[in-house]
Amino acid sequence: MPVDKHHEVVVIGAGVSGIYQIKCLLDAGIDATVLEADEDLGGTWYRNRYPGARFDSESYTYGYSFSRELLDEWHWRERFSSQPENLRYLNYVADKFDLRRHMHFNAKVESMHWDEETRLWHLQLEQGESYTARFVITGIGVLSVPTLPRYPGMDSFSGQSFHTYWWPKEPVALQGQRVGVVGTGATGIQVIGEIADKVGDLTVFQRRPNWSTPLNNSPISVQEMADIRARYDEIFANCAESPNGFEHVPDKRGFYALSHDERVAFWDELYDKPGFAILVGNFPEIFFDEAANREMSDYVANRIRQRVSDPQVAEQLIPKDHGFGMQRLPLETRYYEAYNRDNVHLVNISETPIERITPTGVQTSAEHYDLDLIVYATGFDAITGGFDRMQIRGVDGKTLNEKWHNGPSTYLGVLTHGFPNMLMVAGPQSVSGSTNFPRAIEGGVNWVTELLKHVRSQGYSRVEAQPQAEQAWVEEVVRAHEKMLARRSQGWFTGYNSNVSGHEIGTVRYQAYFGGGPKYATILAQSAAEGYQQIDKS
Ligand code: NAP
């Protein structure tokens, strides 16, 4: 088969990972290109254009740390910057470092096959073009495959309806409209808080409530930004020491060293602090000790009761099946207050399930809701979804999909045996799924780049994880997971997602590494220092 193009390295995805990866490869003098399925760069921040979409990491901890010049130039205008600004930032970075000309858009990789004889990957694009590459680096994100529910009649709805990931670029009329939102994860909670006072009527279809606490966003003045710039080294050092890559540090006094009243006073402070302070800056015991977690959950439940006027609605918004911090914590702005508005209605679809979508709205087992617009904030085929959507065929023709049918299996979240020369940035079982994303991916990209430099300098053309090394890593991933109270959670971390066909409902998939950023960084560094002994090189 004639091949259209060849590069030493093909990077798949021009999101946060791909942008930094191509920069590093070019700096190392390695011939590389980026293939991006969308019509422009930005990944998550290109796609998620729904109202309310914004960081819940402090903006200045989300930006890249690799360039002092970039840090000095960019002014984050809000502590938690919104999607349009985040997309501007990524474009600014790409343009500043002249990366765009190394990116091909509308280039969706449909399949990639390993050829052992030539030691090349053959990539086939949906658009028809084909590529070969010695190495493929995937930067396809952890939440890039949205999933819709499978209600009968979804296509019959006569109004507009879409997943939040596909929120149209063109303005969507909200004023005076009867809007339904299905899903109350981090996305649904952002949308609901943002549009409640902009729509005619808002009906929220909630299956299970999530714990949520205030984002406490604020503008960043020129003066504050100057202070942040002066403290960047300290800020990034804090992030590197924090288990989740945030600037907040866990409270070291010990949950049981304080009285109940002292703990409540501390939680009152945390509740008013920005971002994940209430999660990351809390007592570590709340993640491991059931009694500590229950007390914290009761505290947040009371906060919800204080903010929601109707006690029955408040009770519906308080999770009963998992404790605070056991699923990924959504951060909110005016979310609970939305339910005090006359135009906002909460429907508990665990009690009265959605039976079907009709041409005019949503039919539950109890009632029909007339709607003009349905927004599905129903989550993603998380972490492995992007891999499953490509046909990736490795040594002996086995597909990655087959290998990972019951869950992923990787060496350090970067390599997987049987698929030589495929390197994953933010891959399954890396720390990226469970941490402040860019903080983790910078480390991942640096490691992959150093590995490639090493391999090339030694004259090797093939790398593959050793099966026993992969097995040991999977065991470490499972060990770290099983230590957490969150092991019982039904959130997307564990792969529990009834919308993904082929995944067993309620089966835990060990998809993310919960050992923490610092430990993960140490393991990566050790592997490099030992000459990547657990990777076969030839
Ligand atoms: P999610 O956390 O998986 O939430 C999906 C929601 O849809 C849940 O409430 C779920 O209910 C509901 N749902 C799913 N399938 C359903 C069905 N068939 N019928 C009814 N309800 C259904 O997804 P997400 O809210 O998009 O968030 C995913 C992740 O994206 C977040 O955890 C976060 O990491 C990231 N995110 C980040 C930000 C940010 O601020 N930077 C913002 C948004 C998202 P159940 O709980 O019952 O399954």
Side-chain angles (χ1 to χ4, degrees):
M1 281 273 286
V3 168
D4 296 322
K5 288 183 184 130
H6 174 80
H7 290 278
E8 180 69 359
V9 181
V10 161
V11 178
I12 306 179
V16 174
S17 307
I19 291 171
Y20 181 45
Q21 184 63 73
I22 188 70
K23 162 91 175 67
C24 291
L25 292 169
L26 296 173
D27 286 352
I30 300 174
D31 161 48
T33 196
V34 179
L35 301 179
E36 165 57 56
D38 273 322
E39 57 266 35
D40 209 341
L41 61 83
T44 279
W45 299 109
Y46 180 76
R47 270 290 149 222
N48 287 281
R49 294 163 187 264
Y50 61 84
R54 59 176 63 250
F55 289 151
D56 49 16
S57 308
E58 278 77 2
S59 310
Y60 48 86
T61 72
Y62 193 99
Y64 295 111
S65 72
F66 67 80
S67 160
R68 185 76 235 180
E69 217 178 270
L70 176 63
L71 292 170
D72 286 341
E73 283 169 7
W74 187 261
H75 180 166
W76 290 107
R77 311 221 165 248
E78 287 180 284
R79 185 170 278 270
F80 302 99
S81 171
S82 67
Q83 178 270 334
E85 181 75 346
N86 306 343
L87 189 56
R88 261 195 297 281
Y89 171 74
L90 293 176
N91 275 280
Y92 181 83
V93 175
D95 292 339
K96 177 177 172 63
F97 298 105
D98 197 16
L99 305 176
R100 193 178 276 280
R101 66 197 175 91
H102 302 281
M103 297 175 177
H104 295 264
F105 301 113
N106 297 308
K108 185 170 183 185
V109 178
E110 202 173 50
S111 64
M112 49 185 263
H113 299 173
W114 173 250
D115 180 359
E116 191 64 63
E117 219 176 282
T118 56
R119 296 188 161 190
L120 292 175
W121 279 104
H122 287 247
L123 297 97
Q124 183 62 49
L125 305 194
E126 196 179 81
Q127 290 78 0
E129 264 186 316
S130 57
Y131 284 70
T132 50
R134 177 78 57 208
F135 298 94
V136 171
I137 303 178
T138 61
I140 56 180
V142 292
L143 296 161
S144 50
V145 179
T147 54
L148 286 167
R150 284 175 281 172
Y151 302 129
M154 282 173 65
D155 287 342
S156 72
F157 183 60
S158 59
Q160 259 189 309
S161 67
F162 39 76
H163 192 285
T164 41
Y165 187 80
W166 298 110
W167 191 283
K169 273 190 199 169
E170 306 71 39
V172 175
L174 294 174
Q175 203 181 1
Q177 299 292 293
R178 297 163 302 175
V179 180
V181 174
V182 185
T184 50
T187 303
I189 284 176
Q190 285 188 333
V191 176
I192 293 159
E194 183 68 25
I195 67 172
D197 63 355
K198 298 179 181 66
V199 299
D201 218 53
L202 176 61
T203 308
V204 177
F205 298 92
Q206 173 185 266
R207 190 163 64 182
R208 290 181 314 131
N210 259 299
W211 296 102
S212 188
T213 50
L215 180 66
N216 293 319
N217 192 17
S218 56
I220 297 179
S221 68
V222 172
Q223 233 171 358
E224 275 174 288
M225 197 60 225
D227 173 59
I228 288 165
R229 284 199 193 101
R231 291 190 299 107
Y232 261 132
D233 287 347
E234 176 196 329
I235 290 168
F236 288 128
N238 280 346
C239 293
E241 278 175 31
S242 138
N244 318 77
F246 292 102
E247 63 172 340
H248 314 286
V249 285
D251 193 274
K252 303 254 169 60
R253 288 171 297 175
F255 183 92
Y256 294 104
L258 302 188
S259 69
H260 172 74
D261 288 351
E262 285 170 326
R263 289 194 285 268
V264 169
F266 175 52
W267 290 333
D268 282 343
E269 279 171 35
L270 288 181
Y271 201 82
D272 293 336
K273 283 196 173 166
F276 287 118
I278 194 159
L279 191 74
V280 184
N282 215 315
F283 307 107
E285 288 88 337
I286 68 163
F287 301 106
F288 303 101
D289 176 326
E290 294 213 29
N293 184 266
R294 203 169 314 118
E295 194 179 305
M296 179 67 203
S297 304
D298 288 345
Y299 170 84
V300 182
N302 283 334
R303 285 297 199 136
I304 296 170
R305 290 185 187 106
Q306 286 159 15
R307 290 174 59 187
V308 178
S309 328
D310 181 335
Q312 278 179 355
V313 175
E315 287 315 306
Q316 303 265 18
L317 291 168
I318 296 171
K320 307 291 189 305
D321 68 335
H322 66 280
F324 177 82
M326 296 298 101
Q327 293 184 175
R328 203 286 204 170
L329 178 72
L331 297 176
E332 49 84 23
T333 304
R334 300 184 301 276
Y335 176 64
Y336 291 107
E337 286 70 21
Y339 293 96
N340 298 336
R341 300 177 56 85
D342 290 340
N343 69 330
V344 178
H345 324 283
L346 180 64
V347 179
N348 180 341
I349 54 169
S350 286
E351 279 175 8
T352 56
I354 294 178
E355 289 184 337
R356 63 182 181 280
I357 307 299
T358 71
T360 53
V362 171
Q363 176 71 55
T364 69
S365 60
E367 216 173 305
H368 187 271
Y369 296 86
D370 291 337
L371 300 170
D372 303 307
L373 168 67
I374 304 177
V375 177
Y376 294 105
T378 44
F380 297 85
D381 184 356
I383 302 182
T384 51
F387 293 92
D388 288 347
R389 296 308 181 282
M390 290 186 277
Q391 191 200 58
I392 304 178
R393 219 171 260 286
V395 175
D396 299 334
K398 192 176 177 187
T399 66
L400 189 61
N401 213 323
E402 284 161 349
K403 178 176 176 183
W404 287 0
H405 181 70
N406 294 320
S409 163
T410 72
Y411 171 60
L412 306 181
V414 183
L415 290 132
T416 186
H417 181 74
F419 299 83
N421 291 13
M422 183 181 90
L423 302 155
M424 299 172 285
V425 173
Q429 301 181 333
S430 74
V431 83
S432 302
S434 61
T435 195
N436 188 5
F437 192 70
R439 301 281 59 78
I441 68 101
E442 275 190 342
V445 166
N446 291 341
W447 193 84
V448 163
T449 308
E450 289 308 312
L451 171 65
L452 283 187
K453 286 203 280 199
H454 172 82
V455 163
R456 287 161 50 86
S457 71
Q458 303 294 309
Y460 299 130
S461 57
R462 189 186 192 281
V463 291
E464 185 176 13
Q466 293 166 1
Q468 64 277 19
E470 181 166 316
Q471 184 55 32
W473 181 247
V474 173
E475 282 164 19
E476 166 64 11
V477 169
V478 173
R479 223 178 0 254
H481 183 104
E482 292 299 327
K483 271 192 206 160
M484 315 270 295
L485 287 180
R487 67 186 179 275
R488 293 176 208 139
S489 110
Q490 295 182 14
W492 61 264
F493 282 147
T494 56
Y496 180 103
N497 190 335
S498 58
N499 298 313
V500 181
S501 72
H503 290 188
E504 292 296 323
I505 295 173
T507 305
V508 171
R509 288 161 63 88
Y510 297 99
Q511 307 197 123
Y513 179 51
F514 285 103
K519 184 171 176 191
Y520 183 69
T522 306
I523 294 168
L524 286 186
Q526 199 177 344
S527 160
E530 291 168 359
Y532 312 98
Q533 279 174 17
Q534 296 181 309
I535 300 173
D536 284 333
K537 305 173 274 297
S538 59

